[in-house]
Amino acid sequence: MDTASLTGKELAAAINADTKQRAAARTAHGPAPRLALVVATDDPASAWYVNSLRKAAERLGIACDRIDLGADATAEQIRAELGARSADPAVDAIMLQTPLPEGVALDDVSSSIAAAKDVDGVSPLSLGLLASGLDGFVPATSEAVVELLKHHRIPLRGRHVAVVGRSNIVGKPLAQLLLAEDATVTVCHSRTADLAAITSTAEIVVAAAGRAGLVTGKHVADGAVVIDVGTNEAADGGIVGDVEAESVRGKASALSPVPGGIGPVTTALLMRHVVDAAEKAAN
């Protein structure tokens, strides 16, 4: 079986073109949309991602401020910074980069981000709005999975989707988004007994556990669609996903690549959310 590659570059380019046009329209009548990136880590992968976000913002006409609190920042310092940026009318959007310092919980500090500026949908309030089906920003990575499937005309209504991973930033919100699309969702995790027995019954498998090579050919039914959300550092310094791609190709009908699949769509959606926040603040 030929396995189609569900690339995200074309979709990301379309989203970025619209975002750039809307950002220019805002700038023509006032300040550019502004994103505050709050960083409290010295993780190299996070530094690379933050730098890529800044470059993406610059290309699209979005102002981006990096606020580096240091890897030893306390929960109180992080909450104070997020609260100050939330209260600043010059800031349209806020993103808190992870991982956080040891002992600092995301759900604790993220509650200090105003929902109207929480463009990555990480605060308990934003997640609650999503679970309730109410208007708010949703985690961009989860949204990217749904948008990529729609872009490639893969139907979701009535289909069984297995989500491998239950984090608050991908797995759980993705399950909510898939339910809103009328999919039947099974959420698997590290305590799931016989993972392959469950995922191999699904028509769509989403790997979002943060473990390289976790999903292999034995986890996938013939003809299933596989979405790889993982971004794990390989031994050679490159990036690999949660899917063992070689064992899945030829069995799955379609597979999203790493890199080049979910990643560019996630970044594009984050930038779109920034402009969304700026437009809502102006109205």
Side-chain angles (χ1 to χ4, degrees), residues 130 133 150 157 174-183 185:
L130 172 61
K150 289 182 176 180
R157 177 174 292 178
L174 175 56
Q176 297 291 337
L177 291 174
L178 291 167
L179 287 171
E181 296 293 332
D182 296 323
V185 185

Side-chain angles (χ1 to χ4, degrees), residues 91 97 129 177 187 282:
V91 174
Q97 179 60 33
L129 291 170
L177 291 174
V187 178

